[in-house]
Amino acid sequence: MPAVLVLFAVGVLAVLPLGRLVTAALVHDGVFDATLLIQRLARGATQRAILNTLDTSFFGALLALAIGAPFAFLIALTDMPWRRMQGFLLLLPLMIAPQVTALAWMHLLGPSSALLGALGMAPPPGTANPLLGRGGIIALFGVQHAPIVFITLRAGLALVPRDYVEAARSAGSGPLAVVWRIILPLLRPYLIAAVALAFVSGVGNFGIPALLGMPQNYLTLATLIYQQLASNGPAVLPQVAVLSLLIGVIALVGVGVQVAALRGGGFAMGRGMPVRFGLGRWRWPLAMGGLAVIGFMLFLPLVALVATSLVPAYGVPLSLSTLTGDNYVEVLVRQASTARAFFNSGYLSLLAAALLAVLAVPMALGLARLRPGLRQVTNGALELPYALPGIVLAIACILLFLRPLPLLGSLYATPWIILVAYLMRFAALALKPVDVALAQIPPNLLEAAAASGAGPLRRLVTIAAPLVAPASAAGALLVFMSAFNELTVSALLWSSRNETLGVILFSLEEAGLSTQAAAIAVVTVGVVVVLLLVLDRLGRRLPAGTLPWR
Amino acid sequence: MRTLIAAGLLLATAISPVVAQEGKLVLYTSQPNTDAQATADAFMAKYPGIAVEWVRDGTPKIMAKFRAELEAGAPQADVLLIADAVTMEGLKAEGLLLNFPEAKAEGIDPSLIDEDGAYFATKLITTGIVYNSAATAIPAGWADLVKPEYKDQLAMPSPLTSGAALIHAVTLTGNLAEGWDYYSALAANGAQASGGNGDVLTAVSGGEKLYGMIVDYLPIREAAKGAPVKFVFPSEGVSAVTEPVAILASAQNTDNAKLFVDFLLSQEGQQLASDMGYVPARADIALPAGYPARADIKVLGYDAAAALANETANKEQFSEIFGQ
């Protein structure tokens, strides 16, 4: 019975939207027909967008590796001071919305940068913002996705068997030789997986190429879809369905590489105490260096963002006489749409988080009951809407819900289409911590209960649920944060009165109201930081591996 | 007795106002967020029973959203307040607008009003040139922008994103002797055409570009707040859109929509437009600070019917020239 429920849930959450997309792109009048796909592929704009997507995502992933890998090694393998704090800070870029990251960096490096101006280092007027275009997108993909590399590599490093390392050390190898000859080869699957994951995230990223590429007509597939749909309306749905299928295929190749790399992962030896190298007199210089990099990556742009949010008009230098809180008053109090966006993003994220938290426990139990092969397929299907770019899911949802449905009516132009998309997209995020926690409940506990006559529902409520409750709460918080900051899904699904924070920020920036956009961005970062601290406290009571930074 | 009650009811309906002054009103607009909010606030202050809900986006995008909702069978908007009359003309031809010939439009030049009362001009928004105060060369007219000293320094909105930018392109290419060759020369001089007017403002006030083609009110208003930008009315003349307002045939709140249209066209509503920094449509309202006298603004004309008929061709021509 639970197994049937799980299959039903996966069908609704994953198979239905993606199947609809494929048919919209490839089936016309009931027959398979690839002409639209071929026509679309033949266009220069499509080819340029494909090339730009591959190019920025690939080099962005390499940059993310260059930033994330040293931190993973230092934090996982050494006695560097302040490791835990650095690990926590390094995860922040992942939790900050990409459009906020882009905005912050643009304010940091442009000719009107308040910070660079104060140092006399601002580029002269008439210099294009160095971040606009290809280079900037790659740079910020690197920053935004370095945490993904960091998490993946650290997970791999935690599994490196201590025995190998100790054997090498006692045979006289120095620490660097051990890293090079023992650890790196063992880590190779994780390195490939990390780069593949960062690549997939780049392919799906909308906020960064939207703010850095669109002003220069440098389009990736995600921004091309947005532009086509935004200026032509539903008439181009079949066309953009084809484009989103292309994104989906590129992302799937990335996911495939990642899965293949980790297949049969895990090492011959069991995990013991993790390896720790002493850094000796390098301890403090490396810690300081790490903090400096994090400071540059995270704090300088955020300070620039705050500076922009405090001046009356974009381009005005920040000084005591120009300082104003007016932008905050405008977006938080005066403008109905921004105040509403805080409310909308809040309640939609909360609903999605709560629903998924409740659903995750029976779903994880049901998954555990499936045959291993079926279980793997089901799990994979469920992860697709999260792994695939948000814009693909948004198009699928428009296709599913634009025309009125029996009983439901049309969901388009209601907030519920956004909620349904959030449920589809973040189900995998909610399920994972619960899955981890469930695996750690001794099976004999449930067997004992069953033997004493407790039915499945009773076992669920009295044993499994209480034990995995903290994990499901953690999953819910992750869902909440992701949905609260989200732009890609809602950019195409919002309607009158249902605007989300991501949409409002993007719209303010497009209307030339950069200072107000900055004020919204600062507030959302504040909310996320508070939630992360809550999650971190909660993390102390969770099994290891539930939260990515613990 | 029964007739008495009926008569009483009849009397009650007769003396109650013709239009309801409560309920809600959904406005789709291309005005910047701050102006949309100020307009809604002023209207709600006058009619406290009506709650205005507004949605803001560039004209092509807001139209795409409206059409998607139409497709879904759930159009949300009661009133459109968008950049240009050409889009309105197209909607009118499709029968999507409600005629409102009894609108209180006295004092507005009849040439600015649709003859059937399907849409009404609310202001004049001209497109001219903005420059960053750090610029050394000061442009006087459109012809300057193709000179070498402006190379790679011009930002302009794309007609694919902005309704005003499409009319601007049609007007300039129709009035300048060079026609579309002028746009080719701009492209050859490294002009960047993308996004809407807001993006141009960001680029020029942030100093990333020194010059821009832009609607008048954005730089004039931001300059008053201290932004390092100045606006020029080019010597050849400016293009203008009228930011028309129209009631949709599919409106749920028609009576409130009529009140809203009358409000925008009234002396009060026009003064509000002027206070927000726009050139009001009514000649009896003074222009805001930062503008020359009304008579000194030379507005170039364009053929609206041709613009509507050639909309797609014009967009394609533009895309071709700027390689989009």
Side-chain angles (χ1 to χ4, degrees):
Chain A
M1 186 61 188
V4 176
L5 278 177
V6 161
L7 291 180
F8 176 74
V10 174
V12 170
L13 290 176
V15 179
L16 186 67
L18 300 176
R20 180 72 187 85
L21 187 74
V22 173
T23 51
L26 291 178
V27 179
H28 303 285
D29 300 326
V31 284
F32 175 82
D33 176 7
T35 33
L36 196 59
L37 177 69
I38 292 163
Q39 276 172 6
R40 197 67 229 194
L41 269 174
R43 289 218 200 162
T46 312
Q47 290 166 2
R48 269 199 304 279
I50 293 176
L51 200 70
N52 292 346
T53 305
L54 292 173
D55 177 35
T56 50
S57 309
F58 179 70
F59 287 103
L62 286 189
L63 185 63
L65 179 69
I67 300 171
F71 276 104
F73 280 95
L74 283 173
I75 290 173
L77 292 184
T78 71
D79 58 351
M80 181 174 73
W82 299 337
R83 286 188 306 272
R84 218 179 75 75
M85 179 185 72
Q86 294 200 21
F88 180 75
L89 289 176
L90 207 61
L91 283 161
L92 271 178
L94 198 60
M95 301 298 174
I96 293 174
Q99 65 272 21
V100 173
T101 309
L103 204 59
W105 279 85
M106 279 165 78
H107 291 319
L108 176 66
L109 296 179
S112 65
S113 162
L115 281 180
L116 293 183
L119 298 170
M121 282 164 55
T127 315
N129 194 311
L131 284 174
L132 288 180
R134 173 178 181 263
I137 296 175
I138 291 176
L140 292 200
F141 277 0
V143 170
Q144 187 83 16
H145 302 142
I148 296 177
V149 172
F150 169 71
I151 297 170
T152 314
L153 290 187
R154 214 178 52 160
L157 285 169
L159 297 178
V160 167
R162 189 180 186 148
D163 323 31
Y164 283 24
V165 176
E166 278 176 357
R169 291 301 297 266
S170 53
S173 297
L176 284 180
V178 171
V179 168
W180 187 250
R181 300 220 315 258
I182 309 282
I183 295 179
L184 266 185
L186 282 173
L187 205 62
R188 201 176 56 197
Y190 287 89
L191 282 168
I192 297 171
V195 173
L197 269 179
F199 173 82
V200 171
S201 305
V203 170
N205 197 308
F206 173 73
I208 288 173
L211 283 166
L212 299 184
M214 273 161 61
Q216 285 204 333
N217 291 313
Y218 183 91
L219 298 181
T220 61
L221 279 170
T223 49
L224 178 67
I225 289 178
Y226 172 80
Q227 208 189 45
Q228 293 276 321
L229 205 60
S231 43
N232 299 310
V236 291
L237 265 178
Q239 305 253 354
V240 294
V242 167
L243 287 177
S244 34
L245 201 63
L246 287 175
I247 295 199
V249 169
I250 297 177
L252 270 185
V253 170
V255 172
V257 168
Q258 180 233 344
V259 171
L262 291 182
R263 172 154 301 155
F267 299 96
M269 310 268 166
R271 41 202 287 201
M273 284 287 291
V275 186
R276 281 259 179 268
F277 292 110
L279 289 172
R281 60 197 170 90
W282 288 99
R283 282 183 76 216
W284 285 100
L286 281 171
M288 292 301 152
L291 279 182
V293 171
I294 290 175
F296 177 72
M297 263 176 35
L298 201 58
F299 288 102
L300 279 187
L302 283 181
V303 170
L305 195 64
V306 172
T308 303
S309 73
L310 293 175
V311 295
Y314 188 48
V316 178
L318 180 63
S319 68
L320 274 181
S321 61
T322 57
L323 187 76
T324 170
D326 212 40
N327 295 310
Y328 288 93
V329 176
E330 183 73 34
V331 296
L332 291 177
V333 184
R334 258 182 243 145
Q335 281 187 26
S337 68
T338 45
R340 207 163 47 217
F342 272 101
F343 178 75
N344 288 342
S345 278
Y347 90 82
L348 286 174
S349 314
L350 202 64
L351 264 178
L355 285 173
L356 286 176
V358 172
L359 277 176
V361 181
M363 274 178 75
L365 277 172
L367 265 179
R369 290 276 196 92
L370 295 179
R371 282 185 289 113
L374 188 59
R375 181 191 160 129
Q376 219 166 17
V377 171
T378 314
N379 232 336
L382 204 57
E383 292 211 4
L384 269 186
Y386 185 63
L388 287 177
I391 207 144
V392 176
L393 184 66
I395 300 283
C397 282
I398 297 180
L399 287 166
L400 274 180
F401 300 124
L402 181 61
R403 301 300 166 97
L405 292 174
L407 296 178
L408 289 174
S410 173
L411 287 189
Y412 192 82
T414 70
W416 312 126
I417 192 171
I418 302 181
L419 179 67
V420 170
Y422 283 176
L423 291 179
M424 291 170 171
R425 182 149 176 84
F426 300 123
L429 210 54
L431 195 62
K432 190 140 262 175
V434 178
D435 213 21
V436 172
L438 208 57
Q440 287 169 350
I441 298 180
N444 48 19
L445 213 57
L446 292 168
E447 283 159 15
S452 352
L457 187 67
R458 195 184 165 95
R459 292 202 298 274
L460 170 70
V461 173
T462 55
I463 301 181
L467 285 173
V468 300
S472 110
L477 266 174
L478 285 176
V479 171
F480 181 86
M481 274 191 295
S482 311
F484 191 69
N485 268 310
E486 169 294 324
L487 167 65
T488 11
V489 174
S490 50
L492 293 180
L493 298 182
W494 72 280
S495 54
S496 141
R497 298 184 306 288
N498 304 317
E499 51 284 80
T500 65
L501 277 172
V503 168
I504 279 289
L505 177 106
F506 189 50
S507 157
L508 284 171
E509 180 66 19
E510 275 195 323
L513 300 166
S514 303
T515 50
Q516 294 179 18
I520 294 244
V522 170
V523 177
T524 58
V525 171
V527 170
V528 165
V529 169
V530 168
L531 286 178
L532 271 178
L533 291 174
V534 171
L535 199 50
D536 191 52
R537 284 207 82 98
L538 187 70
R540 289 175 201 177
R541 293 204 254 138
L542 291 174
T546 319
L547 293 182
W549 62 91
R550 277 187 165 267
Chain B
M1 186 65 197
R2 194 173 283 172
T3 34
L4 206 66
I5 294 176
L9 279 175
L10 219 86
L11 193 70
T13 6
I15 49 175
S16 66
V18 187
V19 285
Q21 297 194 0
E22 55 190 23
K24 63 171 196 168
L25 177 72
V26 182
L27 166 69
Y28 274 27
T29 179
S30 63
Q31 289 179 298
N33 308 47
T34 2
D35 301 329
Q37 186 62 49
T39 310
D41 285 346
F43 180 74
M44 287 192 283
K46 191 172 164 90
Y47 299 102
I50 304 175
V52 179
E53 293 162 354
W54 54 270
V55 177
R56 183 269 151 201
D57 220 324
T59 301
K61 289 192 195 167
I62 206 87
M63 293 318 299
K65 191 153 272 301
F66 169 67
R67 287 191 182 278
E69 289 166 2
L70 211 57
E71 182 100 349
Q76 307 280 304
D78 297 311
V79 183
L80 288 181
L81 177 58
I82 55 174
D84 65 282
V86 172
T87 307
M88 288 293 196
E89 194 58 47
L91 290 171
K92 182 189 169 189
E94 287 180 65
L96 294 172
L97 299 185
L98 181 83
N99 288 342
F100 181 35
E102 64 275 24
K104 301 191 179 70
E106 310 84 36
I108 295 185
D109 188 336
S111 73
L112 294 175
I113 293 173
D114 175 61
E115 51 190 14
D116 298 320
Y119 55 90
F120 308 87
T122 63
K123 44 195 80 108
L124 279 184
I125 299 176
T126 74
T127 292
I129 302 171
V130 61
Y131 65 90
N132 188 294
S133 359
T136 45
I138 309 298
W142 299 116
D144 286 332
L145 298 180
V146 297
K147 290 180 179 165
E149 53 268 43
Y150 296 86
K151 187 158 181 53
D152 297 332
Q153 288 299 337
L154 181 71
M156 54 198 277
S158 162
L160 311 179
T161 314
S162 153
L166 181 60
I167 303 291
H168 180 67
V170 169
T171 310
L172 272 199
T173 53
N175 283 279
L176 298 183
E178 301 91 334
W180 279 104
D181 287 346
Y182 175 69
Y183 270 65
S184 303
L186 286 177
N189 207 27
Q192 177 188 304
S194 58
N197 283 283
D199 297 293
V200 173
L201 177 72
T202 309
V204 178
S205 59
E208 292 163 21
K209 298 279 176 188
L210 292 178
Y211 309 96
M213 277 185 188
I214 196 169
V215 290
D216 50 23
Y217 65 92
L218 279 177
I220 290 177
R221 191 161 65 182
E222 293 303 296
K225 284 198 255 168
V229 289
K230 292 198 174 68
F231 186 74
V232 175
F233 286 87
S235 52
E236 298 94 335
V238 289
S239 72
V241 291
T242 54
E243 195 154 278
V245 63
I247 302 172
L248 289 159
S250 55
Q252 308 277 320
N253 307 290
T254 313
D255 291 341
N256 293 341
K258 289 181 173 173
L259 286 177
F260 186 75
V261 171
D262 281 343
F263 172 74
L264 288 188
L265 301 179
S266 69
Q267 211 139 12
E268 192 184 354
Q270 290 286 296
Q271 186 58 51
L272 175 72
S274 176
D275 293 344
M276 292 192 298
Y278 295 92
V279 177
R282 284 176 78 118
D284 56 348
I285 306 286
L287 265 54
Y291 285 85
R294 192 185 283 268
D296 293 342
I297 302 178
K298 184 183 167 196
V299 177
L300 302 169
Y302 73 98
D303 183 346
L308 179 62
N310 301 331
E311 185 176 337
T312 316
N314 286 330
K315 282 184 180 174
E316 273 171 13
Q317 177 104 36
F318 181 88
S319 308
E320 182 96 349
I321 291 174
F322 284 90
Q324 288 167 28

